[in-house]
Amino acid sequence: MQVLGKFATWFDDIFIDLIRQLRWSYVPPLMVYFAYGLATISGITGTFFVKEYLDLSAAYLAGLGFWAGIPWALKMPLGHLVDILWRHKAWLLWLGAALTALSFFIMYLVLTAPEMMSTIAPLKSWFIASTIIAPSGLVLQDAVADAMSVEAVPRTDDSGMAIDHDTSRMMHTTMQTLGRFALIFGTVVVAIINITMFAGIEALDQAQKSTVYANIYLIGLVIPLISVSGILLAAWHRHSRRKRMQAQGLSAAAITAALDTPDEPTTPNPWYFIGGAGFVAITLIVGLRQVPYGQEIIFLGSLVIVSLLMRQLLTVLPVAQARALIGTALILFVFRAVPRPGDGQTWFSIDILGFDQQFLSLLSFITSALTLVGLVVLRPLMASRSVTAIVVILTVAAGILSLPNIGLYYGIQNWTAALTGGVVDARFIAILDTAVESPLGQVAVIPMLAWIARNAPGDLKATFFAVMASFTNLALSASALLTKYLNEVFIVTREVSDSTGAITTAADYSQLGILLIVVTLITVGAPLLTIALVQNSRLRTDD
């Protein structure tokens, strides 16, 4: 009975308490985050579309990932714009939703009317356009949702007293946990849709597969409506509350005081927009003229601009807080900038290990489902540990969890399958590795987001949120560049055939093993070295 009592207490503290802390003010940002998760619906479809229709190398796709990450680097000037236009945030969400819808609609037409689309531009160009438009819409909505998540958490209690530091930390951690929960829940829904849509696809011919892919993009057109539904729902709830208060005979002033959060006017800082304009200019000049090493030039230019814009924000913070921000940013930058194996690993899983669309969807579902559980269970840990401590834990875990993938390349599944009568085969190992690794990717993000939300000035909440986001999202661009470089050194190709069936590119996975090993060494070594340097400097951070 004592054990059951302890379990009941633990279950209440972990799960039921999270439900008790839900507020109507959380709904709008949670709906945007949920739609963001749903937007991944095209991930597996896009991978197979490229594999089956477009002759693009792993290095080229890594480069495309760089370009797709650039809109996220603009989040800082966008965040400042959101602060200035805070009263019109609903229209900003509608604009972002429209861009997301356009991205899905382009790919739907590419798959259903390829002849018509190819007369306007090559299909490859349409795919690239869709890949870049999608994050442009998502980043705008995300900038609004981030600021709304700050505003959703009160700074005072019902009696007007300021909420203490530990309680505030827990509340912001809860809000950001719910935000990640909504996002990951969106990916769970996506995985279920993909598992259903891809059932039996291996028996379909190419035309039938195209229809399945097109239907998935058609479903994607519903997603932007979900992202704006939170605003509509909140407006309806606000209207209902106002009517009830009027029926109770409250004065207009009392109703306004109860419903409205006092706006803290934001003084426009032109440097955020000058920096954004400079970023766009560098991107257009270098990109359109196809300057050699264009991606590197744009990355370095963006890094300089974002760093200068960060300096503008640091001036409004106390010195200790500014140093902690810089130290935290550097640690998270390196943690996120480590390279990935690239698309070659996915191709190997498909061609050599025999992982089909449905199995990849199953892995996605397992990842998302277990991440949801992990986020809730690990919430107390995230609220009590510093960002640095969590990054150390995740870095070591990432190194350990990369070993099964290396083992799969070198055939460990053949040995384990022989010992277990075929039970522990490649798919079993992939599922087990995915199950253990699933919750870890989001764990480092939540403490960072909670720290930003706690320390954000009321008039610069979106800008402050965007500071870390822009800097750390540039790290994803750095990761894409490093991934491209490694894929140019360790070349991995998959078999590509033309319309006649003739092989135009032969499959070659001989260098994938050493690529996986090098990526693992960098993934573990770089973050730990950065943490050691930062924590032994004036930028030391303990929050």
Side-chain angles (χ1 to χ4, degrees), residues 38-39 41 100-101 104 214-225:
L38 290 175
I41 192 171
T100 305
F104 283 112
N215 288 337
I216 289 175
Y217 282 109
L218 186 61
I219 293 172
L221 289 173
V222 179
I223 296 172
L225 297 177

Side-chain angles (χ1 to χ4, degrees), residues 521-538:
L521 293 176
I522 297 174
T523 297
V524 175
L528 294 182
L529 177 60
T530 303
I531 290 172
L533 294 174
V534 169
Q535 294 299 86
N536 288 282
S537 71
R538 292 190 303 169

Side-chain angles (χ1 to χ4, degrees), residues 14-137:
I14 298 298
F15 293 95
I16 305 302
D17 183 61
L18 186 62
I19 297 174
R20 282 196 295 262
Q21 293 188 42
L22 281 171
R23 298 168 175 262
W24 271 101
S25 60
Y26 293 176
V27 173
L30 292 181
M31 294 303 289
V32 177
Y33 292 139
F34 177 55
Y36 185 9
L38 290 175
T40 61
I41 192 171
S42 61
I44 294 176
T45 303
T47 297
F48 278 88
F49 175 80
V50 170
K51 184 177 184 297
E52 296 170 4
Y53 291 88
L54 305 178
D55 188 6
L56 301 177
S57 67
Y60 184 91
L61 290 172
L64 181 57
F66 168 86
W67 290 104
I70 290 299
W72 291 98
L74 276 174
K75 192 174 179 181
M76 190 180 300
L78 280 175
H80 195 56
L81 180 64
V82 168
D83 280 328
I84 295 170
L85 302 177
W86 187 240
R87 289 183 175 272
H88 309 288
K89 56 183 175 290
W91 292 107
L92 296 175
L93 282 178
W94 278 103
L95 176 59
L99 290 173
T100 305
L102 177 61
S103 171
F104 283 112
F105 190 57
I106 286 173
M107 290 306 299
Y108 176 74
L109 290 178
V110 164
L111 286 161
T112 57
E115 296 82 6
M116 179 191 74
M117 298 296 282
S118 60
T119 59
I120 302 173
L123 296 184
K124 180 174 73 172
S125 299
W126 286 115
F127 175 75
I128 294 172
S130 175
T131 300
I132 295 175
I133 290 173
S136 300

Side-chain angles (χ1 to χ4, degrees), residues 124-368:
K124 180 174 73 172
S125 299
W126 286 115
F127 175 75
I128 294 172
S130 175
T131 300
I132 295 175
I133 290 173
S136 300
L138 292 173
V139 68
L140 181 57
Q141 297 176 84
D142 192 56
V144 177
D146 286 345
M148 293 168 73
S149 72
V150 176
E151 192 178 70
V153 177
R155 299 191 178 190
T156 59
D157 58 22
D158 294 337
S159 63
M161 299 294 292
I163 295 174
D164 64 87
H165 177 272
D166 291 340
T167 302
S168 176
R169 180 172 186 161
M170 176 59 78
M171 291 175 69
H172 279 292
T173 300
T174 298
M175 175 65 235
Q176 299 306 325
T177 299
L178 289 171
R180 296 308 97 183
F181 190 96
L183 191 156
I184 301 302
F185 183 65
T187 64
V188 170
V189 175
V190 164
I192 293 173
I193 292 173
N194 281 335
I195 290 172
T196 303
M197 297 292 288
F198 288 139
I201 196 171
E202 66 279 356
L204 302 181
D205 58 32
Q206 199 59 51
Q208 293 171 319
K209 288 181 180 179
S210 296
T211 300
V212 173
Y213 298 157
N215 288 337
I216 289 175
Y217 282 109
L218 186 61
I219 293 172
L221 289 173
V222 179
I223 296 172
L225 297 177
I226 296 175
S227 66
V228 298
S229 65
I231 287 288
L232 299 177
L233 183 60
W236 171 81
H237 181 253
R238 178 189 176 87
H239 176 74
S240 299
R241 287 188 64 195
R242 184 178 294 275
K243 288 293 187 183
R244 286 197 301 269
M245 290 178 181
Q246 289 173 346
Q248 293 170 4
L250 295 178
S251 66
I255 294 174
T256 300
L259 294 180
D260 293 342
T261 300
D263 284 333
E264 300 180 55
T266 300
T267 301
N269 186 333
W271 285 108
Y272 291 110
F273 303 109
I274 293 172
F279 171 82
V280 173
I282 293 174
T283 303
L284 291 178
I285 292 172
V286 175
L288 294 177
R289 294 191 176 185
Q290 298 183 343
V291 177
Y293 301 103
Q295 293 178 358
E296 289 78 1
I297 293 172
I298 292 174
F299 169 74
L300 292 175
S302 302
L303 186 60
V304 169
I305 290 172
V306 170
S307 298
L308 291 175
L309 294 179
M310 284 180 66
R311 189 174 181 273
Q312 293 290 316
L313 188 58
L314 293 177
T315 59
V316 305
L317 298 176
V319 174
Q321 204 174 30
R323 288 177 178 172
L325 174 64
I326 296 172
T328 303
L330 288 174
I331 291 172
L332 289 169
F333 184 91
V334 175
F335 177 71
R336 302 188 76 184
V338 295
R340 302 290 184 262
D343 289 278
Q345 183 179 14
T346 303
W347 297 340
F348 178 84
S349 299
I350 296 170
D351 292 340
I352 306 301
L353 300 180
F355 295 176
D356 56 21
Q357 293 96 322
Q358 191 173 31
F359 183 70
L360 291 176
S361 298
L362 176 61
L363 289 181
S364 176
F365 173 77
I366 292 172
T367 298
S368 301

